[in-house]
Amino acid sequence: MSNQPVNGNQYDENQIQVLEGLEAVRKRPGMYIGSTGPAGLHHLVYEIVDNAIDEAMAGFCDKILVDILEGNVIRVVDNGRGIPVGIHPKEGISAATVAYTILHAGGKFGGGGYKVSGGLHGVGASVVNALSEWLELTVENGEHVYFQHFDRGHYDEELKIIGDTKKTGTTVVFKPDAEIFEDPVFNYDTLLERLREQAFLNAGIRIVLTDYRDPDNPVQDDMCYEGGVKSFVKHLLEKAAKNPIHPEPIYLYKEENGCTAEVALQYSDSYHEVIKSFANDIHTIDGGTHEMGFKSALTRVFNDYGRRRKLLKDNEENLSGDDVREGIIAIVSVKLPECEFEGQTKGKLGNTEARPLVENLVFDGLNTFFEENPAVAKLIFEKAVGAQRAREAARRARDLTRRKSAMDSGGLPGKLADCTSKDNTITEIYIVEGDSAGGSAKEGRDRAFQAILPLWGKMLNVEKARLDKVYSNEKLMPVVMALGCGIGEDLDVSKLRYGKVIIMADADVDGSHIRTLLLTFFFRYMRPLVEQGHIYFAQPPLFRVAKGKKFYYAFNEKERDQYIAELSEGGGKVDVQRYKGLGEMDPHQLWETTMDPSNRTIVQVGLEDAARADQTFTILMGDKVEPRREFIEKNARYVRNLDI
Ligand code: 1YM
């Protein structure tokens, strides 16, 4: 693979820089796409699609096709103007080639007309090219069809005309490099979720995702939402099977100094809040200035309204942020000429101008809405007052619990088998469903640093209860007391008694249920524990494969079959035991396979797993039957794989 010299026969300075640039990307892909795991892999697709979306936002394109082809090849097609094919004055090669070979060239080329797109690190097409085994670019400009082939970012031939056409548009086909990515297999639902989000955030654009990997059974979603973020809110409500308390989402929009802010919100009868914020179509999972502006305006509007209407008496406290957000589903989307993303995962918007932009929009817009829609305003306001009362009830329940526990067991639950160490950088607590597994765990553990809490009793349906009910739940309170860091608005992570909170449950449907319940509880009432990576799942083995004295533990069917094959060599009887539950393992086996830090695998729970559990939980435990049935039908086949 060599690059064609451009000016005469020698590589010029630019050309060398290009090669160095692509090499840099291949050497440290994580710097450009975050990781070489599934997130980084899927990010390649978003980078290319982002360019097509920018073209659509500029008003030149209304349809984007994203195809997953056999062999995990991706094809993205748009009907825009086509990437410019003319010779780039500085580089001496086609502008399209520049966009695909020069680092950071994508957005900047074209003299300011081209909006900076907000990919995770804003890296663009050349990074995708560098990380693809091969990539093919086709551009139609209404006259000719242009084509260029790349191998790992390098090309032997320039962009060339291969035919004539009346159409315009860009097609990019690429195969992610198996030398770079751990497992270059695309997940349809991952792509679908993100592309659907893009379709909501860019009203009117049609995005069609098709999976052709199973030739007999292509899967397709065709997405176009004229209602934009308003449709997004409706979609989230439906997906989570929540009951809205007013018929239509409230929609607010504002444009100022080349920035736009858009907000859609609706209240449901649930007790939880969902706020999704975006900056230049990037999900800001940790919020930031736009979200702060939204929250502060919301609280102000409610309290002003309450005082003005004398619904809050002079001697009554203001509604808190949590009160006014109870049951809300909101989308906050800003588009700025340049976004600054902060924080470790770059999930937080830093631009200071975004805060007043959103704050003013929501303050003025929602005030007006409240004045013009008194009936809806009254409903929403009363819900917030209900939340305020429940918060006060929770405070009383908490004080009562504190007094009670101070009197009996020094604040620790009776069934807790505590560890000796108090140093939470090394301590762990196993939360175990069932007394028999709890017994094995107590015997098998290393009591120096491992505590065991068996769970018993009736679980609370977190969906249908507010915090005050948690304080009287016999299953959850021992967890809260053992962790020692409080709950809800009292949560103080620095008081957490164990650095690792490990949920250990059977590898079956009941086990999956208890995992989901606990995860949902942590997500809703102790979210910082999830955010800061304190929550884990234990991974007990499913099989023991043995011949004579030699044995292996297998954690899935593939491993089991490998061990069977290995032990079968040379003849003799191979014995396979399937563990139906943790209780079937003796204490030593449980220690060896699931609890010994030098040997076990534990899975750290991320915020996305928890958010998904939350949604799943609403569907499974909420009061709508139809979404529950749909969910069960769709997921029945996954139960064995334990996707939660
Ligand atoms: C399947 C991916 O990349 N579409 C696309 C990209 C560009 C344009 C149109 C485009 C931009 C401009 C003018 C401009 C890009 N052009 C460049 C660069 N689809 C996809 N569609 N004309 C066409 O911004 O002024 C980068 S992306 F840099 F070459 F102009």
Side-chain angles (χ1 to χ4, degrees):
M1 268 171 290
S2 67
N3 268 40
Q4 193 90 334
V6 267
N7 301 325
N9 292 321
Q10 283 156 350
Y11 285 123
D12 66 9
E13 187 68 12
N14 287 341
Q15 202 66 9
I16 289 166
Q17 271 178 12
V18 168
L19 294 175
E20 282 173 354
L22 295 178
E23 258 335 290
V25 176
R26 291 181 59 81
K27 259 205 196 104
R28 309 187 67 185
M31 293 260 299
Y32 299 87
I33 54 164
S35 80
T36 54
L41 178 76
H42 291 80
H43 189 74
L44 299 184
V45 183
Y46 311 148
E47 279 297 339
I48 300 298
V49 172
D50 279 353
N51 289 335
I53 288 179
D54 284 343
E55 181 69 355
M57 291 324 287
F60 299 104
C61 154
D62 62 6
K63 186 172 170 187
I64 301 166
L65 305 179
V66 181
D67 301 326
I68 315 172
L69 307 177
E70 258 178 274
N72 285 287
V73 169
I74 294 287
R75 176 170 61 204
V76 184
V77 186
D78 74 40
N79 64 349
R81 290 167 291 178
I83 306 182
V85 293
I87 299 297
H88 187 284
K90 182 164 147 266
E91 309 291 346
I93 48 173
S94 157
T97 309
V98 171
Y100 274 77
T101 53
I102 299 188
L103 264 187
H104 298 295
K108 301 291 186 299
F109 182 74
Y114 187 72
K115 181 175 121 287
V116 180
S117 102
L120 180 60
H121 305 283
V123 286
S126 60
V127 170
V128 178
N129 196 9
L131 300 177
S132 294
E133 188 184 314
W134 54 264
L135 180 146
E136 291 181 340
L137 173 65
T138 308
V139 176
E140 291 173 279
N141 70 350
E143 249 181 282
H144 302 298
V145 184
Y146 294 80
F147 176 85
Q148 190 166 22
H149 175 98
F150 303 86
D151 293 292
R152 302 195 161 98
H154 301 249
Y155 58 93
D156 288 328
E157 282 187 76
E158 301 276 334
L159 185 78
K160 65 172 184 209
I161 294 176
I162 56 162
D164 295 335
T165 182
K166 289 211 171 72
K167 291 194 290 188
T168 68
T170 305
T171 298
V172 176
V173 189
F174 66 95
K175 183 176 173 66
D177 195 342
E179 287 176 8
I180 302 277
F181 294 97
E182 289 153 24
D183 182 21
V185 177
F186 287 98
N187 180 304
Y188 183 83
D189 290 330
T190 304
L191 290 176
L192 177 64
E193 198 173 315
R194 162 78 193 224
L195 293 176
R196 196 188 294 287
E197 215 170 81
Q198 297 300 310
F200 282 127
L201 293 169
N202 298 286
I205 298 183
R206 182 162 167 220
I207 303 180
V208 186
L209 173 65
T210 316
D211 189 346
Y212 292 102
R213 282 174 297 187
D214 176 357
D216 303 324
N217 182 26
V219 183
Q220 184 170 83
D221 279 85
D222 190 334
M223 297 162 287
C224 180
Y225 304 103
E226 294 297 341
V229 291
K230 217 171 142 171
S231 308
F232 201 166
V233 167
K234 285 187 177 175
H235 169 83
L236 290 175
L237 263 164
E238 269 166 37
K239 206 167 88 169
K242 297 192 173 172
N243 301 308
I245 60 170
H246 55 106
E248 281 294 313
I250 301 165
Y251 174 76
L252 310 167
Y253 174 83
K254 177 172 179 165
E255 204 176 331
E256 199 176 78
N257 304 330
C259 304
T260 65
E262 233 185 331
V263 170
L265 66 104
Q266 191 164 12
Y267 282 86
S268 79
D269 62 4
S270 126
Y271 298 135
H272 310 287
E273 63 175 82
V274 178
I275 298 175
K276 278 180 180 257
S277 61
F278 298 85
N280 288 8
D281 293 348
I282 309 292
H283 187 190
T284 36
I285 188 135
D286 302 318
T289 47
H290 52 343
E291 213 176 292
M292 290 193 296
F294 172 74
K295 288 180 176 174
S296 102
L298 194 72
T299 311
R300 209 145 51 88
V301 171
F302 273 71
N303 282 305
D304 284 6
Y305 175 86
R307 301 283 172 206
R308 204 165 54 234
R309 299 265 163 141
K310 307 271 182 251
L311 299 167
L312 283 176
K313 311 256 162 49
D314 288 345
N315 62 348
E316 280 177 327
E317 249 186 75
N318 262 356
L319 297 168
S320 75
D322 287 333
D323 297 338
V324 305
R325 293 193 300 272
E326 189 187 88
I328 201 172
I329 297 202
I331 303 293
V332 178
S333 166
V334 295
K335 289 186 181 155
L336 311 172
E338 210 150 335
C339 282
E340 297 152 34
F341 295 103
E342 298 177 341
Q344 214 167 23
T345 52
K346 301 278 169 220
K348 190 168 178 185
L349 183 68
N351 300 58
T352 49
E353 71 274 23
R355 184 174 172 146
L357 177 71
V358 179
E359 193 161 349
N360 294 336
L361 166 69
V362 174
F363 187 74
D364 297 341
L366 199 57
N367 251 329
T368 311
F369 179 90
F370 274 16
E371 289 309 319
E372 290 172 357
N373 301 272
V376 175
K378 185 163 172 277
L379 268 177
I380 299 177
F381 187 83
E382 277 168 5
K383 176 150 176 69
V385 171
Q388 188 187 40
R389 297 212 173 106
R391 187 161 53 88
E392 281 154 9
R395 194 168 292 155
R396 286 192 295 273
R398 180 200 63 195
D399 294 344
L400 197 68
T401 323
R402 279 203 188 138
R403 276 201 300 278
K404 243 177 29 195
S405 63
M407 282 186 298
D408 43 48
S409 57
L412 288 177
K415 293 216 181 191
L416 174 74
D418 207 359
C419 53
T420 0
S421 172
K422 298 278 173 258
D423 174 2
N424 76 0
T425 60
I426 59 162
T427 55
E428 314 177 335
I429 183 168
Y430 278 81
I431 300 179
V432 189
E433 170 77 359
D435 270 341
S436 81
S440 291
K442 277 183 193 176
E443 255 182 80
R445 69 179 171 144
D446 181 336
R447 67 174 59 235
F449 67 98
Q450 291 179 320
I452 310 291
L453 179 69
L455 285 186
W456 74 97
K458 196 172 151 34
M459 183 70 185
L460 177 74
N461 185 346
V462 199
E463 178 59 22
K464 291 182 183 155
R466 284 170 169 144
L467 188 56
D468 50 328
K469 294 287 183 297
V470 174
Y471 281 107
S472 54
N473 182 257
E474 59 170 355
K475 191 154 192 153
L476 290 175
M477 269 327 275
V479 176
V480 176
M481 287 157 69
L483 299 189
C485 56
I487 184 173
E489 56 183 21
D490 296 327
L491 188 91
D492 179 354
V493 183
S494 71
K495 296 207 173 116
L496 181 64
R497 299 181 64 244
Y498 314 94
K500 290 195 174 73
V501 178
I502 306 172
I503 303 172
M504 181 154 75
D506 289 340
D508 61 10
V509 181
D510 289 343
S512 171
H513 190 213
I514 192 73
R515 265 190 294 276
T516 306
L517 288 168
L518 281 170
L519 202 51
T520 307
F521 170 68
F522 288 132
F523 180 71
R524 290 202 170 143
Y525 293 109
M526 305 175 107
R527 191 168 305 179
L529 297 194
V530 183
E531 286 166 349
Q532 293 172 29
H534 290 292
I535 309 291
Y536 296 82
F537 290 149
Q539 294 275 284
L542 288 178
F543 305 97
R544 184 173 186 272
V545 184
K547 189 173 84 176
K549 285 213 170 95
K550 198 165 179 192
F551 64 89
Y552 295 109
Y553 293 108
F555 291 83
N556 54 48
E557 275 143 28
K558 193 171 151 201
E559 271 181 22
R560 174 197 62 190
D561 295 344
Q562 279 166 355
Y563 292 137
I564 293 176
E566 188 189 317
L567 292 178
S568 297
E569 278 170 29
K573 187 172 176 303
V574 178
D575 193 48
V576 180
Q577 183 189 355
R578 184 185 170 96
Y579 292 119
K580 291 197 201 69
L582 294 162
E584 278 180 35
M585 265 180 274
D586 65 38
H588 178 70
Q589 284 176 331
L590 193 59
W591 161 258
E592 204 171 60
T593 60
T594 317
M595 300 177 70
D596 174 4
S598 65
N599 201 36
R600 72 181 177 197
T601 316
I602 52 176
V603 180
Q604 191 175 39
V605 175
L607 198 60
E608 276 182 26
D609 306 313
R612 204 167 298 130
D614 176 276
Q615 211 168 49
T616 307
F617 193 71
T618 316
I619 294 172
L620 293 178
M621 306 301 265
D623 46 20
K624 287 197 176 173
V625 177
E626 189 53 27
R628 176 158 52 237
R629 210 193 57 214
E630 263 174 40
F631 177 88
I632 292 170
E633 278 170 9
K634 186 167 172 236
N635 291 281
R637 64 200 158 90
Y638 294 130
V639 166
R640 270 150 53 90
N641 299 334
L642 288 180
D643 58 339
I644 289 167

